[in-house]
Amino acid sequence: MPNIAIIGGTGLTQLAGLTLTEQKSVETPYGTPSAPIRIGQLAEQEIAFLARHGDPHQLAPHQVNYRANIFALKTLGVKAIYAVNAVGAINSTMPPAHVVIPDQIIDYSYGREHTFCDEDRSVEHIDFTYPYADTLRKALIIAAEQKGISCTKSGVYGCTQGPRLETKAEIDRLERDGVDIVGMTGMPEAALARELGLEYASIALVVNMAAGRSAGIITMDDIKQALEEGIVKVLAILSQAIAH
Ligand code: HPA
C-alpha cells in the first residue's frame, strides 16, 4: 500500500513519470472521489495519485468532493499527501511559473463540506495552528534546492470560493490580510487531511498575477502558458522529494 499520495490540481490530471500498476475506484461513506486513484511507481517509490478535478478535468473547485478524496486516500493506507495547487500571486516577488511552498492558510471559501465531524463522529477541535506538515514542506524545499529550482519557502495561501476570479478590491483586501497567493482548492482539503491524521503539504504553482496586480485582465491563454512552463518544475520537485 502506498504511503505517499499526490493530489494533482489544474494542469496535473495525469502524472507523467508514474508507472501505473493499479487503478482503484474507491467508494466512501462521503461519496465518490473525483477520479479512480492511480497507484504506481514514481522515482522508484510506490505512490497514489488522485486528480482533484477529475480525469478529464470536469469538477470546479466548489464541486470537488474533498471529504471523499481524503477519506479514500486514508482507506488506501496513505500517510502523507503532497497537494499541487495552481494559484494567482498577490505578492509581486512570485511571478507566473514560480513555485511557492506555503506555510499558512486563510480560508475564504464557503458552503463546502469541510469536516468529518458530523452525526456519526464526535466533535474534535483539531489543532490547525500550522496547517501544513513541516516534514513535507522541508522535503519539498530541499528537493527544489537539489534540482536548482528557485522557490519561495513560505507564504500565506488564501482560499477563495471561485470559480470566478476575484475583483481587484477583493485582492486588495486579501493583501491587507497578509495573503501572498490565492487559489480555490487548498481548503477544506488541508483541514480534512489533518482531521484524519494525514501529513499534508502544498506545492503551489503561480499561474497568473492576481486581479489588479498586472496590466490588463487575466486570460486563460496566459494561465495555460504559465502552467505548461511551471508544471515541469513541480514534477521535478515532487519526484526528487519522493525519491528521498
Ligand atoms: N485566484 C484564485 N484562484 C486562482 C487564481 C487566482 O487568481 N489563479 C489560479 N487559481
Side-chain angles (χ1 to χ4, degrees):
M1 283 291 138
N3 275 323
I4 297 177
I6 294 172
I7 300 181
T10 301
L12 196 66
T13 300
Q14 304 212 355
L15 194 62
L18 180 74
T19 319
L20 194 67
T21 48
E22 218 182 328
Q23 186 149 309
K24 286 200 189 251
S25 298
V26 186
E27 275 304 314
T28 81
Y30 304 96
T32 314
S34 301
I37 295 167
R38 299 208 175 98
I39 296 171
Q41 302 273 332
L42 183 74
E44 293 176 18
Q45 306 290 326
E46 187 178 51
I47 66 142
F49 176 79
L50 175 57
R52 183 187 289 117
H53 296 280
D55 182 14
H57 184 127
Q58 58 203 356
L59 300 166
H62 66 288
Q63 295 170 323
V64 171
N65 190 337
Y66 296 94
R67 293 199 299 180
N69 287 353
I70 296 295
F71 196 90
L73 293 174
K74 171 90 178 174
T75 310
L76 290 181
V78 165
K79 306 272 185 283
I81 298 173
Y82 289 114
V84 182
N85 299 96
V87 295
I90 300 176
N91 187 320
S92 61
T93 67
M94 304 171 186
H98 187 68
V99 172
V100 182
I101 312 300
D103 65 331
Q104 278 295 332
I105 298 174
I106 301 179
D107 187 9
Y108 301 93
S109 71
Y110 49 86
R112 303 180 181 188
E113 295 286 359
H114 66 287
T115 178
F116 291 109
C117 293
D118 52 19
E119 311 82 59
D120 304 331
R121 251 175 110 99
S122 59
V123 179
E124 197 196 338
H125 300 288
I126 52 152
D127 178 88
F128 206 45
T129 312
Y130 301 105
Y132 299 112
D134 226 31
T135 43
L136 300 187
R137 290 187 55 253
K138 287 206 173 108
L140 291 169
I141 290 165
I142 290 169
E145 276 166 5
Q146 286 169 339
K147 283 281 170 189
I149 298 169
S150 94
C151 77
T152 302
K153 299 177 178 66
S154 63
V156 179
Y157 176 106
C159 184
T160 56
Q161 177 70 354
R164 68 166 175 84
L165 297 168
E166 298 72 33
T167 65
K168 179 181 176 302
E170 286 168 337
I171 292 297
D172 290 345
R173 173 186 159 213
L174 264 60
E175 185 168 41
R176 288 193 296 274
D177 284 355
V179 172
D180 295 296
I181 50 176
V182 55
M184 301 172 190
T185 53
M187 286 291 283
E189 199 173 86
L192 291 167
R194 180 67 56 87
E195 281 192 359
L196 293 192
L198 300 175
E199 303 264 285
Y200 180 99
S202 160
I203 173 164
L205 175 63
V206 177
V207 294
N208 58 281
M209 294 313 290
R213 294 298 178 273
S214 64
I217 60 163
I218 301 162
T219 70
M220 284 311 288
D221 279 349
D222 291 343
I223 289 182
K224 268 191 202 138
Q225 205 180 316
L227 256 180
E228 271 168 32
E229 190 185 332
I231 210 70
V232 183
K233 300 185 202 172
V234 170
L235 281 173
I237 294 170
L238 281 173
S239 300
Q240 181 77 4
I242 284 165
H244 297 274

